[in-house]
Amino acid sequence: MLTLFFESLANLLRLTYRTFIPRPGHPRPSAKRMLVMTGFIPLFVLVQGIHWIGFLLDDILFRGYRRVVIREPLFVLGVPRSGTTYLHRLIAHDTALTTFSTWECLFAPSVTQRRFWFGLGRIDARIGRPLGRMLDWIERHAFKGLDAVHAMRLSDPEEDYFALMPVLACFILIIPFPHSDLLWRMGLFDQDMPEARRARLMDFYHRCLQRHLYVHGTEKRLLSKNAAFAPLAGSLAARFPDARFIVCLREPHATLPSQLSSLAAGIEFFDVLSAVPDFRERLTDQLGFYYKNLERALGERPEERCVWVTMRALQSDPARLMRVVYAQLGLSASEQFRDAIARHASESGTYRSAHAYRLEQFGLSRGDIDRDLGPVFARLAARSARTAADASPMQTGATSGDDPMGSSSTRTPVRHAEPIHCGD
């Protein structure tokens, strides 16, 4: 832990230096970017410093977390914008499982921090929830702009890769630090991350999961969802050999523009293109690696250990799909869980997303995408779990009528018309 702390500190100093003083031959940051980063970096350092204090106190006050055994964890992976969030939140209704919530990922990755906030919450409840009401107001306004792309509330199940922020291994940091080779390697983790650092980061992630179970119940099965962990699929399978995987899939010609569109606000806010003009091209290439790495790492995994789920199947009948997935993985679903899934799917039936995008916005060609990634998608989709309502074969070169997200031509905007919120 100490080694990783000093390594992360050194990396953060280098990132900060290169933010304002780029390497020779690289463009100088714009005035807007320098202003935004001048405010962002101190706040980021403060939050991560608090996390590291929490980790230190954990090893003094709650050393028992290190003895927690992670048994048969359930990982929801996939390419971004393929329904992973919706599927994760469905499965999170299973009370036999435990998963990270947004507030734990962002503000309390340590046991110490969670104990503090739980204690403060109990005090707040006794005096009428003044802090709770203030937080409710803040999150309604702070997260409202994300609803069309990735609905988020503090108590919602969330991706635990945010817990990797303190070690600068959360790939979303590529937005404020697009010049970082270290962060780009996170997007090619199984292929490009040096072996020693890969082991240290997997050790850190393992400790994060142990902390979570220590707080929420060591008898529970861990549920983890991370679309950004597609490049880590091989490392996860090696670290947790008894793990089960659910992998979400979506046609590459819909995934790529959707992901770029979802990041557009962050790219603009941090003025990323002024620092790395080819940022979108690099990101597009990296998303292609996600498909290929999922096939390489999990393609031969036994069916009782890995289920592949297409967005088409997730849209057609999520309640029935859950029964298929649980049966294939040998998991038991309680009556309470089945009722919760049916109710949640019914309540989501009227959802329509406002997230719109088109291929031409990003200089993408459907033909090129299908030629490069279509075959791997077709192979994986052919193995996917199906329901009676999803009996038709998946075709890589599908027409707009076959596309679960509607037309994805370079001329027509893609506007989510799915009956459930499975944009990511």
Side-chain angles (χ1 to χ4, degrees), residues 250 254 311 315 357 403-408 414-418 422:
R250 186 182 181 190
M311 183 174 277
Q315 291 173 315
Y357 48 85
D403 190 339
M405 303 311 297
S407 175
S408 293
V414 178
R415 185 173 298 278
H416 293 222
E418 67 269 23
C422 49

Side-chain angles (χ1 to χ4, degrees), residues 24-66:
H26 289 69
R28 294 186 60 81
S30 66
K32 174 187 175 181
R33 176 167 168 76
M34 292 182 70
L35 179 63
V36 169
M37 294 303 290
T38 298
F40 172 79
I41 290 176
L43 179 60
F44 180 77
V45 170
L46 174 63
V47 173
Q48 306 317 313
I50 293 172
H51 292 341
W52 278 108
I53 293 172
F55 297 146
L56 173 63
L57 291 176
D58 283 356
D59 285 334
I60 298 173
L61 302 175
F62 305 107
R63 288 188 59 81
Y65 83 87
R66 290 174 169 266

Side-chain angles (χ1 to χ4, degrees), residues 118-361:
F118 285 146
L120 186 61
R122 286 191 291 269
I123 295 172
D124 184 52
R126 290 179 181 177
I127 60 176
R129 294 191 70 246
L131 292 177
R133 289 195 301 271
M134 182 179 68
L135 281 177
D136 291 343
W137 184 89
I138 291 174
E139 73 171 352
R140 281 197 306 271
H141 291 78
F143 297 149
K144 183 178 180 180
L146 297 174
D147 285 349
V149 176
H150 180 95
M152 180 185 293
R153 294 296 182 268
L154 291 175
S155 60
D156 284 346
E158 192 48 84
E159 301 192 37
D160 57 38
Y161 85 139
F162 285 112
L164 298 176
M165 286 275 194
V167 291
L168 305 179
C170 181
F171 187 67
I172 196 64
L173 290 174
I174 203 67
I175 301 296
F177 301 111
H179 55 283
S180 170
D181 292 338
L182 173 65
L183 287 168
W184 283 111
R185 284 194 210 104
M186 282 301 303
L188 302 168
F189 191 87
D190 286 343
Q191 174 180 288
D192 285 358
M193 187 63 68
E195 185 175 350
R197 179 162 176 80
R198 185 189 310 157
R200 287 194 294 273
L201 291 177
M202 291 306 298
D203 287 344
F204 179 84
Y205 179 63
H206 195 142
R207 294 296 190 202
C208 288
L209 302 188
Q210 288 178 305
R211 289 183 174 95
H212 181 82
L213 289 174
Y214 182 83
V215 171
H216 291 280
T218 58
E219 78 286 355
K220 292 192 174 186
R221 184 195 299 270
L222 182 88
L223 168 64
S224 169
K225 170 258 176 176
N226 287 287
F229 274 6
L232 283 72
S235 298
L236 289 172
R239 173 56 65 107
F240 304 101
D242 61 346
R244 289 174 170 84
F245 293 87
I246 305 175
V247 186
C248 293
L249 299 168
R250 186 182 181 190
E251 288 87 343
H253 66 256
T255 298
L256 296 178
S258 180
Q259 175 68 346
L260 291 172
S261 176
S262 71
L263 297 176
I267 292 172
E268 181 180 357
F269 178 77
F270 286 99
D271 202 10
V272 172
L273 300 183
S274 72
V276 180
D278 64 342
F279 180 81
R280 291 194 181 103
E281 289 77 8
R282 294 188 66 177
L283 195 61
T284 298
D285 291 342
Q286 195 147 300
L287 286 170
F289 173 77
Y290 284 19
Y291 284 92
K292 297 170 184 177
N293 196 58
L294 287 169
E295 181 180 40
R296 184 196 63 78
L298 303 177
E300 301 303 319
R301 204 165 178 84
E303 288 190 354
E304 64 273 14
R305 292 289 181 180
C306 183
V307 179
W308 304 83
V309 174
T310 63
M311 183 174 277
R312 179 194 294 268
L314 186 58
Q315 291 173 315
S316 65
D317 191 341
R320 183 175 296 179
L321 178 65
M322 282 294 92
R323 292 195 291 272
V324 172
V325 168
Y326 264 55
Q328 183 171 327
L329 294 177
L331 304 176
S332 58
S334 67
E335 188 70 28
Q336 179 184 12
F337 176 53
R338 290 196 294 269
D339 290 344
I341 290 296
R343 184 170 59 253
H344 187 78
S346 175
E347 291 172 352
S348 302
T350 59
Y351 177 84
R352 294 294 183 272
S353 173
H355 186 206
Y357 48 85
R358 58 185 184 274
L359 286 164
E360 65 183 3
Q361 286 179 259

